[in-house]
Each structure stands twice: as structure tokens, then as C-alpha cells.
Amino acid sequence: MTHEEYQSAANYWLKKDADSKKMPADQLWTAIEEYIQSNNTCALATGSGGFIRCTPIEYAWHGGAFWMFSEGGQKFVGLEEKA
């Protein structure tokens, strides 16, 4: 692919979003919370330098925040690093 083709692909959703109709923020937040509360598993991706780890993990949604419990694993390599 050429540089222009990569740029076109990279900007595809930005262009599409510019012309799209938006859901009112309060309705969007309600839909998001309903989805989050009807599920309990997500993919937690962490990374540091050249290390990347994506782990399925169960969560609870409480007080507008995700709560996750883990016994350990390689995800902590990325969690330890600070931006």
C-alpha cells in the first residue's frame, strides 16, 4: 500500500463519524451502563515498551467504575509501568 492508502484507511472512521448522527449523551450513557451491567467479562490489555498482554477478566460495575480481581499473571508487567 502507498502512504496515501494507509492514511485513507487510518482516517476512514474519522470521516465517517464527522457525518454521522449522534445519540444524545444521556441516552448513550444509559445504553453503555445497561450493556456493562448485563455482562461481567472484558478484555484487559496492558503494555509496556515492547510487551503487550491482553487477558480476559471478570469485572463488577459499581459506583461508575470497573472493579476487577486477579490472582496475578503477566498483565501486571504492563500495570506496573507508569506513564
Side-chain angles (χ1 to χ4, degrees):
M1 288 176 60
T2 67
H3 174 72
E4 290 76 19
E5 290 170 325
Y6 276 106
Q7 291 301 306
S8 178
N11 292 323
Y12 176 82
W13 288 109
L14 295 175
K15 292 176 188 173
K16 195 167 185 77
D17 184 58
D19 298 328
S20 67
K21 184 177 179 183
K22 308 293 190 281
M23 179 185 286
D26 59 330
Q27 290 179 9
L28 177 60
W29 182 249
T30 298
I32 291 170
E33 280 202 319
E34 286 174 2
Y35 177 83
I36 290 169
Q37 291 174 355
S38 68
N39 294 279
N40 71 344
T41 306
C42 68
L44 174 66
T46 65
S48 175
F51 178 83
I52 299 173
R53 180 73 175 185
C54 186
T55 307
I57 190 167
E58 290 186 14
Y59 67 82
W61 179 253
H62 180 72
F66 288 101
W67 291 77
M68 300 173 188
F69 175 78
S70 174
E71 296 172 343
Q74 290 294 297
K75 67 186 139 303
F76 285 88
V77 172
L79 289 172
E80 180 183 25
E81 296 295 322
K82 296 184 175 59

